[in-house]
Amino acid sequence: MEVRRSARRRRTVSAYREGDRTVVLIPARMSEAEEKRWVNVMLDKLAAQESKRVLGDAELAERAERLSEQCFEGRARPTSVRWVTNQNTRWGSCTPSEGSIRLSHRLQGMPEYVVDYVLVHELAHLLVPGHGPRFWRLLEAYPRTERARGYLEGVVAADRLPHLPAAREE
Ligand SMILES: [Zn+2]
């Protein structure tokens, strides 16, 4: 992995593979902390692009079941888990009274651990509504919660930057 700083770049970050190497291009004035954060976001983006496989609803339900076993001893039991395309401001939602979970299609193509995090999050809501301390304590059962939340925050931040190209070949 190689990070190249460019004085010409003002706000854009991009990444591409060059043989065995991954090159991340960042603006010269970016801080170390920002660099670290963006490198992670871009590496995840590249990985996601390279594994474009989309889970079907049946696989999604299976996955939710497995995660419920792993994290909540199987106590969260959704009646349905499916993708929806009408959800652009939330990554996932659930209706505890019905036991249904819906994931935004915008998650498709993101790393598996991110999709799993959103599933675990919605599964946890079947057990605890709202985002109080009890809820986040439940989420500690999923080891990549912090990383996944960081990834999703990065995606939201990237959407807001003008002219930010998607990871691409240059
Ligand atoms: Zn929530």
Side-chain angles (χ1 to χ4, degrees), residues 61-78:
E62 251 170 57
R63 218 176 167 101
E65 199 180 324
R66 214 190 58 219
L67 288 164
S68 176
E69 292 286 332
Q70 279 171 9
C71 301
F72 311 125
E73 291 146 354
R75 283 181 296 129
R77 289 200 197 88

Side-chain angles (χ1 to χ4, degrees), residues 121-122 125 130-131 135:
H121 185 116
E122 299 310 328
H125 278 314
H131 296 109
F135 176 82

